[in-house]
Amino acid sequence: MAISSVQISGYRGFKNTGTVRFAQPNGTPGGGLTVLTGPNNSGKSSVLEAVRARSGYQSVSFTAGTRNPELEYVEITYEINGKIERIHSVSKGSSETVKVNVDQSYRIFVLPSRRSFAPYFSKHEQNRANYVQSLTLPAQRSSNLTNFEQRLFNALRNPEAFNRMLGEVLGFMPVWTIDQSDQGAYFLKFFNGPNSHSSDGMGEGIVSIFSIVDSLYDSDPGEAIFIDEPELSLHPALQKRLARLLMRLSSDRQIVISTHSPYFVDPRILLSGGQFLRVTTGTDGTQLYQLSEQSIESIRRLSAGNLYNPHVFGLDARELFFQEEGIILTEGQEDVLLYPKLAEKLGVEISGDFFGWGVGGAGNMQHLCLILRDLGFKKVAGLLDGDKEDVQQKLQTEFPDFFFACIPAKDIRTKSARKPSEAVEGLFDDKLEVRTEYIESTRKMLADISTYIDGAKADIKS
């Protein structure tokens, strides 16, 4: 069985219906991985909570604080294995709900972002099926996992599988166990060389890794695991190893993560059949933007055709998926460095942020704009060399809400050549001073970009 989609209306920020289509495992690493990104408080966790709401035999209660105040009525629809399940409020303004056709045999493991647990606990064991079924949606977001310590006892039943996966993320084979104090309380003991830490003194990153591995290690092919912000408290090296683990497991499992970390965004996910969404919030409430097949094809072309520009989809470029409004695209690496210098010399303050290290050439700008438009970005500017007016006109026609401009010279800087006829005169001369004849036109161009971005941001806020 597999979950194909969820539709959410009336829950937290969803005053309009939002739909998430989940990736389906296809035997390829990354094929079953769905990645959600977006600003803080945009609604990413709400998507995972909406899925968690179907757990448990009792109907969930949507409190006054979780119901959208403009609707006061929650309805969540799931498509699972081709069948439709639904949870909805019994009436407007009521916390109580009705479950319709919910198949309790299909369980989804949802791991929240707050992953601490009681450092001292009693002895009780819980297998995966019972634990997942007990993960009902609480009335309030809790800082502690519910009964996670019971899963630790279960892990000791099969320590080889748990430790193998734990070591894959940590980078070394861990040694841990459960001990009991003289007062009778149990605690997690983690060894670090000759020293050991109790669960009361363990770092948050190790605690987080334990809970993430617990959600994965005893899962079976075909199961679904949702993890909220897997990167929390993790060193970048651990994030990278965890990202590789999720890629591998998603070949035959559905894995859904919400994240703020570029390490979990890899073009190979999309090229393997995975899905990517950006979640935003504004006057229309929570909005979901999912990449189209056309954008995925653009990513395929960028990935295949940029062997000599790896930064186009290196870490800096992955940050594209985490940007705020007001992105400025440029052709190349030196443009990102020289345009701010140009503005400084002209006494112009540029609004917006330059993207990464350029798009890898004017021909790539269309692909990046398509991706940004799919992800719900409203205001994007692009700067092109002076001999790219035809490209600028095509881009402006295809993306009328974005702003494109050509600088008044053929290039940002002057470039010499063996033959005088092949030399390029740029805005900057050989001493990186702005050529006099380009000062006024360049100052106006930069001011126009800032006016566009500032006005656009004001429109979005309003």
Side-chain angles (χ1 to χ4, degrees), residues 417-456:
R418 292 182 179 180
K419 297 180 180 180
S421 60
E422 296 176 354
V424 176
E425 182 183 273
L427 287 177
F428 284 113
D429 60 22
D430 294 332
K431 297 180 180 180
L432 287 183
E433 295 295 333
V434 185
R435 294 184 184 277
T436 306
E437 62 268 32
Y438 297 133
I439 288 179
E440 291 306 318
S441 56
T442 303
R443 184 179 283 126
K444 181 180 183 305
M445 179 196 69
L446 296 178
D448 288 345
I449 290 176
S450 293
T451 299
Y452 161 78
I453 291 175
D454 289 339

Side-chain angles (χ1 to χ4, degrees), residues 234-251:
L234 298 190
H235 185 278
L238 271 68
Q239 292 185 41
K240 293 177 183 179
R241 287 194 286 268
L242 178 57
R244 289 195 293 268
L245 173 63
L246 297 179
M247 280 276 290
R248 177 170 62 80
L249 292 178
S250 63
S251 63

Side-chain angles (χ1 to χ4, degrees), residues 23 26 28-33 246-248 250-251 268-269 272-275:
N26 55 18
T28 304
L33 186 56
L246 297 179
M247 280 276 290
R248 177 170 62 80
S250 63
S251 63
R268 293 175 298 174
I269 296 171
S272 299
Q275 293 289 334

Side-chain angles (χ1 to χ4, degrees), residues 96-385:
E96 298 313 289
T97 63
V98 175
K99 287 184 176 181
V100 181
N101 298 326
V102 174
D103 184 355
Q104 297 291 348
S105 67
Y106 179 68
R107 303 178 182 91
I108 301 175
F109 199 126
V110 181
L111 184 64
S113 61
R114 302 173 184 182
R115 292 190 278 271
S116 60
F117 63 94
Y120 297 98
F121 43 85
S122 58
K123 187 174 183 178
H124 189 73
E125 182 180 332
Q126 200 165 28
N127 63 27
R128 185 181 185 87
N130 291 335
Y131 182 70
V132 172
Q133 195 61 22
S134 70
L135 293 177
T136 55
L137 186 66
Q140 294 180 331
R141 290 175 176 171
S142 173
S143 59
N144 287 329
L145 294 172
T146 304
N147 298 327
F148 171 70
E149 58 275 7
Q150 299 175 7
R151 289 288 290 161
L152 293 175
F153 284 102
N154 190 78
L156 283 181
R157 293 276 187 181
N158 186 13
E160 293 82 10
F162 187 94
N163 288 341
R164 185 169 55 251
M165 191 171 290
L166 190 63
E168 187 174 344
V169 179
L170 293 176
F172 61 89
M173 188 52 65
V175 179
W176 68 278
T177 191
I178 294 177
D179 200 358
Q180 187 179 27
S181 70
D182 293 335
Q183 290 73 37
Y186 291 87
F187 60 92
L188 173 64
K189 180 185 285 186
F190 186 86
F191 292 90
N192 185 7
N195 303 311
S196 66
H197 299 282
S198 71
S199 43
D200 192 30
M202 287 175 58
E204 291 184 3
I206 298 297
V207 171
S208 183
I209 286 296
F210 262 81
S211 57
I212 292 173
V213 169
D214 175 67
S215 72
L216 299 167
Y217 86 102
D218 59 349
S219 64
D220 293 321
E223 289 194 35
I225 303 100
F226 286 57
I227 304 174
D228 196 3
E229 299 186 31
E231 71 275 8
L232 291 183
S233 300
L234 298 190
H235 185 278
L238 271 68
Q239 292 185 41
K240 293 177 183 179
R241 287 194 286 268
L242 178 57
R244 289 195 293 268
L245 173 63
L246 297 179
M247 280 276 290
R248 177 170 62 80
L249 292 178
S250 63
S251 63
D252 59 10
R253 294 162 176 79
Q254 281 186 287
I255 297 178
V256 180
I257 63 172
S258 70
T259 182
H260 294 284
S261 171
Y263 292 113
F264 291 91
V265 178
D266 191 318
R268 293 175 298 174
I269 296 171
L270 297 170
L271 303 183
S272 299
Q275 293 289 334
F276 182 90
L277 293 93
R278 179 170 175 259
V279 187
T280 67
T281 188
T283 55
D284 291 329
T286 298
Q287 298 287 311
L288 300 171
Y289 297 94
Q290 195 152 1
L291 287 180
S292 65
E293 289 299 323
Q294 189 178 5
S295 279
I296 293 174
E297 179 58 30
S298 288
I299 291 174
R300 190 184 308 278
R301 293 181 182 181
L302 288 169
S303 300
N306 284 277
L307 296 177
Y308 303 104
N309 291 307
H311 60 274
V312 173
F313 273 114
L315 177 58
D316 286 317
R318 293 180 197 180
E319 292 177 358
L320 174 73
F321 303 112
F322 301 89
Q323 296 288 332
E324 296 180 338
E325 293 286 353
I327 299 174
I328 302 175
L329 303 175
T330 62
E331 291 189 41
Q333 301 180 45
E334 64 179 6
D335 296 335
V336 178
L337 297 173
L338 291 177
Y339 278 120
K341 188 177 185 67
L342 176 67
E344 180 182 353
K345 286 183 173 293
L346 295 178
V348 177
E349 184 176 346
I350 301 180
S351 299
D353 297 304
F354 288 95
F355 161 64
W357 290 106
V359 302
N364 286 341
M365 197 167 289
Q366 177 193 20
H367 299 307
L368 270 295
C369 288
L370 180 60
I371 295 167
L372 288 168
R373 186 174 65 184
D374 270 3
L375 293 177
F377 286 89
K378 306 299 183 185
K379 301 302 172 182
V380 176
L383 279 172
L384 297 149
D385 292 341

